[in-house]
């Protein structure tokens, strides 16, 4: 199974050209995580995700559906942290203004890690422009689900199944 870099935007142009797949990663394809920078300045790198599933939500601070969805995803992240489950819950904003995104995160009282690298993630994980978009990567770094739109509470809580492997 080929390994595809997720964040080509963080690589030099020559490396991006050599690594570029013909399109987004397909369901069932392995994904390589070179890392993202979180709003708090920390880097989330592949080693941090070893033996962990990932729930990644692509969103915009101006999207009302995203506001409700992210509150549900935040509850999931808090539960995962409280139970020390092998699942990383992450949000990626399309918005490029880190100050505006940080203000939004504070106003919404979101405790999950957030990056502003959604554009780079979207080009690899999903070409659709649906918001929010929830991506699930299993504990072996294989893309398993692309869930477009706002999810109900029960569906978000159902994502806990990925922590069990």
């Amino acid at each position: 199974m080929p390994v595809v870099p997720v964040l080509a935007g963080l690589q030099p142009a020559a490396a991006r050209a050599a690594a570029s797949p013909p399109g987004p990663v397909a369901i069932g394809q392995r994904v390589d995580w070179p890392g993202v920078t979180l709003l708090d300045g920390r880097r989330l790198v592949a080693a941090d995700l070893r033996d962990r599933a990932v729930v990644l939500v692509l969103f915009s601070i101006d999207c009302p559906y995203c506001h409700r969805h992210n509150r549900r995803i935040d509850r999931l992240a808090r539960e995962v942290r409280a139970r020390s489950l092998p699942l990383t819950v992450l949000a990626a904003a399309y918005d490029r203004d880190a100050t505006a995104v940080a203000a939004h995160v504070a106003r919404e009282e979101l405790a999950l890690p957030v990056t502003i690298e959604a554009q780079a993630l979207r080009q690899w994980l999903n070409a659709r422009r649906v918001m929010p978009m929830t991506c699930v990567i299993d504990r072996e770094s294989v893309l398993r689900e692309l869930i477009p739109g706002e999810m109900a509470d029960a569906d978000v809580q159902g994502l806990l199944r990925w922590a069990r492997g």
Side-chain angles (χ1 to χ4, degrees):
M1 180 175 316
V3 176
V4 179
V6 173
L7 294 178
L10 298 180
Q11 301 172 354
R16 269 197 318 271
S20 293
V25 175
I27 300 289
Q29 189 173 11
R30 186 169 159 71
V31 178
D32 181 31
W33 286 87
V36 295
T37 300
L38 304 175
L39 285 178
D40 65 8
R42 290 179 297 136
R43 292 274 302 156
L44 182 64
V45 297
D48 299 325
L49 303 175
R50 191 176 330 274
D51 297 322
R52 298 182 67 79
V54 177
V55 171
L56 168 69
V57 176
L58 306 174
F59 77 100
S60 172
I61 63 175
D62 296 326
C63 167
Y65 306 106
C66 299
H67 288 237
R68 290 189 303 262
H69 185 69
N70 284 353
R71 286 187 204 115
R72 294 176 183 123
I73 293 294
D74 187 65
R75 284 193 294 275
L76 175 71
R78 291 172 192 262
E79 182 174 351
V80 164
R81 193 170 31 257
R83 294 172 53 189
S84 299
L85 297 173
L87 179 67
T88 296
V89 181
L90 172 68
Y94 284 107
D95 311 88
R96 303 270 184 175
D97 182 346
T99 303
V101 174
H104 170 79
V105 168
R107 189 172 43 256
E108 295 289 316
E109 299 180 349
L110 301 176
L112 72 161
V114 177
T115 180
I116 60 170
E117 297 179 23
Q119 292 292 346
L121 289 165
R122 186 181 78 71
Q123 73 178 319
W124 290 98
L125 293 174
N126 176 38
R128 295 177 66 190
R129 295 184 182 265
V130 176
M131 283 190 284
M133 176 61 75
T134 303
C135 309
V136 179
I137 299 165
D138 72 14
R139 293 171 67 179
E140 284 78 42
S141 299
V142 175
L143 180 63
R144 293 297 177 192
E145 293 189 67
L146 293 171
I147 307 164
E150 181 180 0
M151 295 170 64
D153 287 322
D155 294 328
V156 169
Q157 287 302 308
L159 296 173
L160 285 171
R161 72 185 178 279
W162 293 104
R164 294 188 276 282

